[in-house]
Amino acid sequence: MRTDFNQLTWFQAVAEERSFTRAAARLGVSPSTLSHAIKQLETRMGIRLLTRTTRNVATTQAGERLLQTISPRLGEIETEIAALTALRDTPTGSLRLTLSDHALETVVWPKLKPVLQKYPDISVELLLDSAFRNIVEDGYDAGVRLGESVEKDMIAVRIGPDWRLVAVASPAYLADRARPEHPRDLVRHRCINIRQESSGGLYAWEFEKDGQELRVRVDGQLAFNNSYAQVEAAVSGFGIAYAPDSIAAPHLATGALEQVLDDWSPMFDGYFLYYPSRRQNLLAFQIIVDALRHRSG
């Protein structure tokens, strides 16, 4: 029995995405075409590989065994094919990265733009997402996260400097209110919250001073899952925001915002590019990593 290679690749995508719709988008085919191909594979093998419901798709015991068997082999084939294309005079390849909007704006895009202009045959898909992702299971080549968040079994390359979170508010908001002198004072203020995509909960603001660490849960009229929108709301007088210093800096420079609790603002590890070891021998990937690598001084 000869099995179609594409059908195995498509089965892997459906099994990993647990959705025909998401897998079809990832592969660039229609869901109906994908469903038909999987049914053909199941018919040829004479066994059910996927359990389909109205909400999701799950692998059967046989399907899970097949997935565990083919995934490393398909990964090796993909790596070898990419290595062969790297022998061309012009580096080529396609990469998928998951990263936050802040990482994109402050670190990745300024470094990536000139590289992509120099190497037009390298294509990059950048998916903005603040949630923690399993980049192997979710089909990414690499991810960008703060150093403290990188999984230990990944190769990690620093691509940006350390940075601080700063508490800021507009002069109009602070004009008729007592400035907070301690993080606990924030409970008496309107604060602009951040929703964490990974947990779904609101971020408990983290502070540190002289070795003392505090987490404060704040309240207010607004909550965002985006630091840029949070800072803009602070500029408009909706309360105190807690955001990366690079986002607040332009508004602090113009006087549109003022900083509070400066001596409580902690430093955070900078951004790191992380990826599994099998990606490191691809020329296009090496070019991207080298371009993003942080060089101090």
Side-chain angles (χ1 to χ4, degrees):
M1 179 183 69
R2 192 176 186 88
T3 303
D4 186 283
F5 180 80
N6 276 343
Q7 289 178 350
L8 291 177
T9 303
W10 291 8
F11 163 74
Q12 180 190 27
V14 175
E16 290 178 346
E17 297 289 347
R18 298 187 180 277
S19 162
F20 278 93
T21 301
R22 291 195 298 270
R26 169 175 157 183
L27 296 166
V29 299
S30 69
S32 60
T33 298
L34 181 56
S35 178
H36 180 67
I38 299 302
K39 287 179 180 177
Q40 284 186 324
L41 177 61
E42 290 178 320
T43 300
R44 184 177 290 110
M45 295 184 67
I47 191 169
R48 182 180 291 275
L49 300 172
L50 298 169
T51 300
R52 305 162 176 83
T53 69
T54 55
R55 290 194 166 197
N56 55 32
V57 177
T59 53
T60 63
Q61 185 177 0
E64 186 62 27
R65 181 174 176 178
L66 177 61
L67 179 64
Q68 297 302 320
T69 300
I70 66 174
S71 291
R73 291 167 174 80
L74 292 178
E76 291 172 2
I77 292 171
E78 177 190 351
T79 298
E80 288 305 316
I81 291 175
L84 288 173
T85 60
L87 297 176
R88 292 175 42 177
D89 292 337
T90 303
T92 183
S94 179
L95 307 173
R96 297 181 80 232
L97 272 65
T98 170
L99 71 169
S100 68
D101 53 356
H102 180 244
L104 176 70
E105 294 291 337
T106 60
V107 176
V108 174
W109 184 239
K111 296 181 179 182
L112 193 59
K113 182 165 56 175
V115 175
L116 296 180
Q117 291 171 336
K118 182 178 180 181
Y119 298 103
D121 290 331
I122 296 178
S123 59
V124 180
E125 185 176 356
L126 301 163
L127 294 104
L128 302 185
D129 187 353
S130 296
F132 298 115
R133 295 290 181 185
N134 185 317
I135 59 174
V136 176
E137 290 184 2
D138 293 345
Y140 295 103
D141 295 295
V144 176
R145 293 294 181 267
L146 296 178
E148 62 186 25
S149 306
V150 175
E151 298 172 10
K152 302 303 180 185
D153 60 344
M154 292 284 167
I155 294 176
V157 177
R158 178 183 279 274
I159 62 173
D162 293 345
W163 51 269
R164 293 201 309 162
L165 284 175
V166 293
V168 293
S170 70
Y173 173 82
L174 294 171
D176 56 355
R177 295 174 175 87
R179 288 173 175 261
E181 300 295 334
H182 190 279
R184 294 193 186 94
D185 296 339
L186 292 171
V187 299
R188 295 191 292 272
H189 282 267
R190 286 190 297 159
C191 296
I192 304 164
N193 263 307
I194 280 285
R195 177 76 64 180
Q196 292 182 304
E197 293 182 41
S198 54
S199 65
L202 295 174
Y203 169 60
W205 292 11
E206 300 172 80
F207 296 94
E208 181 180 353
K209 180 180 178 182
D210 300 329
Q212 180 184 7
E213 297 181 0
L214 288 177
R215 282 177 173 264
V216 179
R217 294 201 173 275
V218 299
D219 196 15
Q221 186 180 13
L222 289 170
F224 297 94
N225 68 343
N226 177 287
S227 294
Y228 291 90
Q230 185 193 28
V231 169
E232 288 299 327
V235 171
S236 298
F238 283 94
I240 299 175
Y242 200 41
D245 51 4
S246 58
I247 300 178
H251 302 290
L252 291 170
T254 62
L257 289 176
E258 296 179 9
Q259 188 172 343
V260 296
L261 299 173
D262 180 44
D263 54 344
W264 281 93
S265 293
M267 293 293 297
F268 286 84
D269 288 344
Y271 287 113
F272 283 71
L273 182 79
Y274 66 100
Y275 54 92
S277 58
R278 67 182 179 86
R279 301 299 303 175
Q280 62 182 328
N281 62 339
L282 308 181
L283 180 57
F285 190 76
Q286 290 175 350
I287 290 172
I288 296 299
V289 171
D290 187 61
L292 295 179
R293 190 183 305 275
H294 177 61
R295 294 171 174 83
S296 59

